[in-house]
Amino acid sequence: MSDRAFEGIEGDLNASPHRAEWTRRNIGPQTRQWLEEDARYFLHQALSTPCLNALARSDGIYLEDLEGRRYLDFHGNSVHQVGFGNPAVIAAIKAQLDALSFCTRRYTNIPAVELAKTLARITPGDLAKSLFCPSGAAAVGMALRLARVVTGRHKTLSMWDSFHGASLDASSVGGERMFRGDVGPLLPGTEHVPPPDASRCALGCGGRCDLRCAGYVEYVLEREGDVAAVVAEPVRSTPAIPHPDYWPRIRAACDRTGALLIFDEIPQCLGRTGRMFVSEHWGVTPDILVLGKGLGGGILPMAAIVTRPELDVMADRALGHYTHEKNPVTCAAALATIHYIEKEGLVGRARELGALALARMTEMAERHRLIGDVRGLGLLLGIELVRDRNTRERASEEADRVMYRALERGLSFKVSAGNVLTLTPPLTISRAELARALAIVDECLTEIEAG
Ligand SMILES: Cc1ncc(COP(=O)(O)O)c(C=O)c1O
């Protein structure tokens, strides 16, 4: 199958040839009934409905289905940095519900102010002013709107294959056909460039990045001359980890050409990569940082933009008028999440456990012919499966089989880009649990290689 068939962060789960077999073996009559009702009453869409299984519980790093089977969750939609049902987050939410459960516009409240203050403290450089909203896509929309007003320009430069949310404005800067196709005209001026992914470089660096990807962005920024913003995930979820000089060069090019740099750290913020924020790996501060997902503690929807005080220029206009903008309950959840990450040292823990996992994955790569590459930044880990290490033909069918076999053994993760086993456990995971999960992947690979 062609690469384009696997556009999309998760491949098309619903089209998996192994799904029917997994369902036959694992789904009993009670679950089947709920899945059928789900399919009857929800709008269907790729990657989502119809569903694979139904959940009854989650706690810590585990999901439990209606039939009582437990799964180590190495997927978690990237919301579970502090684990599911984190007691500190739940306690903060409960206390806030009893005190003030909503904040009408024109009023403020203490958790909202405390959260904005905390974000000013923990975000890099001079980022110091925030705006909150309920979803990542909405936060990306606010960042785009702000960039237009600040620069007086409308063009953006973003990456092919990226994902920034499912709304029309976020899909316009996103680079996946699944979200861009069949919906008519998208935002004008949304230019795209190849992502900095040496393992599959569209510019032909052949696996050894010589920064031609950065040169290409510099060229486009200079030739266009009027780009409002470069919008990107500093590290893609696959993961694709850029050359260490990539972001410093793009930062400098933005400064030269008057473009803002917007980092979408929605899935990777708050410690996952072994730094509180991904941009810290390269000492690059964006003009607008976009946060989401785990910010709500894996319980409530919560997203934010954080920017420099000089970009606070829309006092007489609307930037992001969301009903739940200063919701005290979501803000209390976010504050408790950040405090928990700091108190438990989860950022350092992600670094330490990530290094252990990468060493184990590297050792697995020596034994498994299907493994073409292993990558990791903290606890954002990827095992790329290929049929041939020279041609790098994607072993997509095999990846799909590994995923379903792993599910049978109690490990849930997603397959990205068609052939990358993407492993993103909660940062609270123990060494033993991490070792168990990797042992499951190891066993599944052995079985599938044996045919
Ligand atoms: C990089 C990135 N940006 C934006 C979003 C959109 O976030 P939300 O689903 O909260 O709108 C996602 C969600 O997966 C994401 O991964």
Side-chain angles (χ1 to χ4, degrees):
M1 284 202 211
S2 76
D3 285 359
R4 299 319 271 175
F6 288 113
E7 270 190 326
I9 49 176
E10 216 172 334
D12 188 348
L13 186 72
N14 298 348
S16 160
H18 304 290
R19 179 177 168 135
E21 171 63 11
W22 186 89
T23 299
R24 194 183 59 71
R25 288 158 60 125
N26 291 281
I27 297 299
Q30 191 209 355
T31 305
R32 185 178 301 277
Q33 184 201 326
W34 286 111
L35 291 176
E36 282 169 4
E37 295 218 10
D38 176 278
R40 184 169 312 132
Y41 291 109
F42 280 105
L43 291 168
H44 290 205
Q45 63 170 338
L47 313 178
S48 175
T49 304
C51 292
L52 178 66
N53 195 356
L55 296 177
R57 269 182 203 86
S58 62
D59 62 280
I61 67 164
Y62 291 97
L63 302 175
E64 188 176 314
D65 67 17
L66 287 185
E67 296 175 26
R69 281 176 304 229
R70 284 166 73 77
Y71 303 89
L72 290 153
D73 190 5
F74 276 46
H75 179 319
N77 274 48
S78 304
V79 306
H80 60 348
Q81 285 95 323
V82 297
F84 290 119
N86 183 291
V89 180
I90 288 189
I93 291 172
K94 283 185 176 165
Q96 191 56 50
L97 282 173
D98 285 338
L100 175 73
S101 55
F102 184 74
C103 183
T104 303
R105 194 176 299 289
R106 292 191 289 138
Y107 297 92
T108 191
N109 61 85
I110 294 170
V113 178
E114 290 286 3
L115 177 60
K117 240 167 106 177
T118 301
L119 290 177
R121 172 173 65 78
I122 65 173
T123 48
D126 45 2
L127 300 176
K129 291 202 116 183
S130 288
L131 191 59
F132 306 148
C133 63
S135 78
V140 167
M142 299 194 308
L144 295 175
R145 189 180 276 258
L146 181 59
R148 282 184 174 209
V149 172
V150 165
T151 61
R153 305 168 173 182
H154 74 278
K155 290 182 188 166
T156 54
L157 212 59
S158 50
M159 310 283 166
W160 286 118
D161 299 334
S162 65
F163 179 66
H164 295 291
S167 58
L168 276 177
D169 50 1
S171 300
S172 304
V173 290
E176 293 186 297
R177 195 193 309 165
M178 166 100 59
F179 294 90
R180 298 172 56 79
D182 307 325
V183 290
L186 296 167
L187 282 187
T190 47
E191 310 285 341
H192 290 73
V193 292
D197 181 358
S199 71
R200 295 193 181 267
C201 179
L203 301 169
C205 76
R208 243 180 260 118
C209 182
D210 55 9
L211 287 165
R212 61 186 76 177
C213 47
Y216 189 76
V217 177
E218 288 165 340
Y219 178 77
V220 178
L221 279 176
E222 272 149 32
R223 292 304 292 260
E224 292 280 349
D226 59 352
V227 170
V230 171
V231 187
E233 299 163 77
V235 54
R236 283 231 60 210
S237 302
T238 15
I241 302 154
H243 186 291
D245 292 336
Y246 182 82
W247 286 118
R249 269 185 58 176
I250 306 304
R251 173 73 272 182
C254 285
D255 292 342
R256 273 199 311 280
T257 58
L260 300 185
L261 181 60
I262 299 174
F263 271 170
D264 174 350
E265 294 205 16
I266 288 166
Q268 317 300 1
C269 64
L270 302 183
R272 157 124 350 254
T273 66
R275 302 271 179 196
M276 189 61 98
F277 298 99
V278 185
S279 57
E280 294 169 32
H281 285 282
W282 303 287
V284 166
T285 304
D287 299 289
I288 307 175
L289 180 62
V290 190
L291 312 176
K293 292 207 184 248
L295 185 61
I299 301 178
L300 296 173
M302 177 71 190
I305 58 171
V306 194
T307 188
R308 291 186 273 115
E310 307 89 90
L311 272 54
D312 187 8
V313 295
M314 291 184 65
D316 57 350
R317 278 162 288 186
L319 173 54
H321 250 256
Y322 289 94
T323 301
H324 287 272
E325 178 185 329
K326 288 184 182 163
N327 184 306
V329 184
T330 58
C331 291
L335 264 177
T337 302
I338 294 168
H339 289 157
Y340 188 86
I341 290 170
E342 292 186 320
K343 185 164 79 59
E344 299 298 320
L346 294 189
V347 180
R349 190 179 169 72
R351 219 166 25 239
E352 185 193 322
L353 293 185
L356 285 177
L358 196 56
R360 172 84 164 90
M361 286 155 47
T362 306
E363 179 270 317
M364 281 161 61
E366 284 162 18
R367 288 184 286 107
H368 291 291
R369 62 177 164 76
L370 271 175
I371 299 184
D373 191 21
V374 294
R375 304 190 279 273
L377 199 60
L379 282 172
L380 170 61
L381 302 160
I383 302 178
E384 178 166 359
L385 303 191
V386 294
R387 296 211 172 116
D388 179 319
R389 284 185 180 172
N390 293 319
T391 63
R392 302 185 57 75
E393 183 192 350
R394 293 177 199 264
S396 300
E397 199 266 334
E398 293 85 343
D400 197 51
R401 268 160 64 200
V402 172
M403 188 184 87
Y404 283 100
R405 294 265 170 111
L407 266 183
E408 298 221 8
R409 289 175 155 87
L411 172 66
S412 173
F413 58 82
K414 73 179 174 189
V415 175
S416 304
N419 68 327
V420 186
L421 316 180
T422 302
L423 308 173
T424 54
L427 314 186
T428 50
I429 192 169
S430 71
R431 278 177 188 232
E433 288 161 333
L434 185 60
R436 182 148 69 85
L438 291 173
I440 291 174
V441 175
D442 200 346
E443 285 161 26
C444 295
L445 282 167
T446 303
E447 261 182 41
I448 284 155
E449 284 172 344

